[in-house]
Amino acid sequence: MRNDIIRSTQFLLATNLLGITFGSIIICLVETKFILKVPFLFRLPSPVYYLMFPAAYLYVKLIVTDRVSLKNLDYLHFTPALVHLIEMTPFYLKSNPEKIAVINNIYNLDINMYAHNEGWLPPFIHNIIRGVMGIVYAIAMWRMLQQSKIIMSLSNKLYFNKILQWLKIFIIMNGMLGFMVIQTLTFTFIPSEIRSLSLHLTFITILIISNYYLLFHPEILYGLPKLTLSTLSGLENIQVEVKKKKNDTTLLNSSLVKNEIPEERIGLPLLNEYKIQVNDYIIQSAVYLNPDLSIIDLSRTTTIPVHHLRLLINKDEKLRFNDFINQYRIQHMQTLINNGALLNKTLETLAFECGFSSKPAFIRGVKKLTNQTPGAYFKTKKLSSNQEIL
């Protein structure tokens, strides 16, 4: 899964930076007239310019929503690029001599090289559309960044500060680029040399800043840290060791949700924070009393991404989400039993009050975690508790 995550964010960021790079290169070729030597490059990157801003938006969206991949509807953002590719296909199919003739005609008649007369739309319309897209997407990205629950809840953590800083700069750069595209490629009253130079400097500035961050802060490629199966490699061994020492669900619970797994063995500093956060929330809120509790509910209330919780709990082959929650229910039942709850209630009634949805679920849950029937397990625990009191 992690490779898919990395590929998604890297591909989207690379698409955005590729469009900026192409723009810088084409300006140099046009202004130096070297484009006549490589006529096949003329207008070739044009569809990529329509990809730049949607790719930037989706890159930010994947990070702030902490999603692992694009949804089907997300691909609709690439529709303008596809339409423009179809529009430009007849020009792309022209021979090099034909393209050279078009380029020479633009130079000789002093036509604005960036007016983009080829295609279906009138001159300059493509530049206006792309510029407006840049500004609109930048506004959408900024709002998304501010509204994200994950960002708001974790923005005070040093681990996230670099990513947040990068996203803010990235959004501002794309917004400025959209404005510059409209201004420099549409405002014909400004001398063409100044317009070309200003846009070229904008491209270069964005590339320098982006390359700086990529070089010194490569974590920006990956977004918020993703838990993987490899990060849980030490979890199973630790649980086995705990079980060998004592066949007790209390220890089993602490091995999963308390700070007992050395950080260096896990490789992610957030893992222990997640476990402590989840444990504290479950105990303080007694959310396990809800028989319909789901991992999505727990994700919403703790602001921990769903797939982080799944990888923390479900990907451990010996512990599913229901078993994880049942540990808290069993512990709660044990506390009530020690306080005399069975004097006026049956074990089954107590199980319902502690969050088990049915008698079979109660029996199955206890046996799976303790290898004993509920009656035998709680009888043993009660005797042990009485002995401790004596």
Side-chain angles (χ1 to χ4, degrees), residues 237-304:
N237 294 333
I238 292 176
Q239 288 180 326
V240 170
E241 293 172 3
V242 170
K243 288 181 180 179
K244 287 180 180 179
K245 291 180 180 179
K246 196 171 185 180
N247 185 20
D248 192 322
T249 57
T250 302
L251 286 177
L252 180 60
N253 177 66
S254 65
S255 71
L256 179 65
V257 295
K258 292 185 180 178
N259 189 15
E260 290 188 1
I261 303 176
E263 184 175 296
E264 60 271 15
R265 292 185 62 178
I266 298 303
L268 280 175
L270 283 182
L271 185 58
N272 285 332
E273 293 185 27
Y274 280 161
K275 287 182 288 184
I276 295 172
Q277 181 182 350
V278 169
N279 184 56
D280 289 346
Y281 171 75
I282 292 177
I283 292 176
Q284 293 172 12
S285 67
V287 69
Y288 51 82
L289 298 179
N290 176 13
D292 299 320
L293 179 67
S294 68
I295 194 170
I296 295 178
D297 297 328
L298 190 59
S299 173
R300 289 197 189 105
T301 52
T302 60
T303 69
I304 297 176

Side-chain angles (χ1 to χ4, degrees), residues 22 26 39-50 80-99 102 116 118-119 126 130:
F22 274 150
I26 293 301
F40 62 91
L41 291 178
F42 187 64
R43 304 295 191 221
L44 184 63
S46 191
V48 181
Y49 302 150
Y50 274 102
L82 178 60
V83 172
H84 186 52
L85 177 63
I86 296 173
E87 173 193 10
M88 292 299 297
T89 297
F91 181 79
Y92 294 148
L93 295 178
K94 291 179 180 292
S95 64
N96 281 341
E98 290 177 301
K99 291 179 181 178
V102 171
H116 204 127
E118 303 76 24
H126 281 295
R130 286 190 283 243

Side-chain angles (χ1 to χ4, degrees), residues 133-340:
M133 284 177 62
I135 296 173
V136 171
Y137 273 117
I139 294 173
M141 285 187 282
W142 190 265
R143 290 188 62 187
M144 182 166 50
L145 187 66
Q146 298 303 319
Q147 295 173 358
S148 170
K149 285 186 177 181
I150 298 174
I151 294 300
M152 296 303 291
S153 63
L154 297 176
S155 59
N156 62 327
K157 296 182 182 294
L158 179 62
Y159 195 86
F160 291 88
N161 283 349
K162 292 177 183 177
I163 297 175
L164 296 177
Q165 183 185 37
W166 157 249
L167 289 180
K168 291 177 182 178
I169 294 175
F170 181 75
I171 293 170
I172 292 172
M173 289 192 303
N174 276 272
M176 290 182 60
L177 179 58
F179 176 77
M180 292 299 294
V181 167
I182 296 176
Q183 177 182 346
T184 58
L185 301 185
T186 307
F187 295 174
T188 56
F189 58 86
I190 301 176
S192 60
E193 294 82 3
I194 296 178
R195 287 187 282 117
S196 297
L197 179 61
S198 61
L199 185 59
H200 185 60
L201 289 176
T202 302
F203 285 145
I204 294 299
T205 301
I206 293 176
L207 289 174
I208 290 175
I209 295 174
S210 300
N211 286 327
Y212 167 81
Y213 270 89
L214 289 171
L215 180 62
F216 293 101
H217 308 294
E219 65 270 19
I220 65 176
L221 285 172
Y222 315 129
L224 302 180
K226 307 293 190 297
L227 300 180
T228 65
L229 286 174
S230 61
T231 66
L232 298 175
S233 60
L235 184 58
E236 183 175 351
N237 294 333
I238 292 176
Q239 288 180 326
V240 170
E241 293 172 3
V242 170
K243 288 181 180 179
K244 287 180 180 179
K245 291 180 180 179
K246 196 171 185 180
N247 185 20
D248 192 322
T249 57
T250 302
L251 286 177
L252 180 60
N253 177 66
S254 65
S255 71
L256 179 65
V257 295
K258 292 185 180 178
N259 189 15
E260 290 188 1
I261 303 176
E263 184 175 296
E264 60 271 15
R265 292 185 62 178
I266 298 303
L268 280 175
L270 283 182
L271 185 58
N272 285 332
E273 293 185 27
Y274 280 161
K275 287 182 288 184
I276 295 172
Q277 181 182 350
V278 169
N279 184 56
D280 289 346
Y281 171 75
I282 292 177
I283 292 176
Q284 293 172 12
S285 67
V287 69
Y288 51 82
L289 298 179
N290 176 13
D292 299 320
L293 179 67
S294 68
I295 194 170
I296 295 178
D297 297 328
L298 190 59
S299 173
R300 289 197 189 105
T301 52
T302 60
T303 69
I304 297 176
V306 173
H307 68 278
H308 283 205
L309 287 175
R310 284 200 182 104
L311 287 167
L312 180 63
I313 301 170
N314 294 9
K315 291 303 179 180
D316 174 19
E317 297 298 333
K318 296 181 177 63
L319 203 61
R320 303 295 181 182
F321 176 74
N322 286 337
D323 301 323
F324 173 73
I325 297 299
N326 284 343
Q327 292 178 120
Y328 292 92
R329 291 168 177 156
I330 292 172
Q331 289 180 354
H332 185 61
M333 281 189 67
Q334 185 60 53
T335 301
L336 295 179
I337 291 172
N338 291 342
N339 292 332

Side-chain angles (χ1 to χ4, degrees), residues 353-369:
E353 292 181 0
C354 291
F356 288 98
S357 59
S358 65
K359 182 178 179 179
F362 169 53
I363 296 174
R364 190 167 53 247
V366 174
K367 289 184 69 174
K368 188 170 184 179
L369 289 170

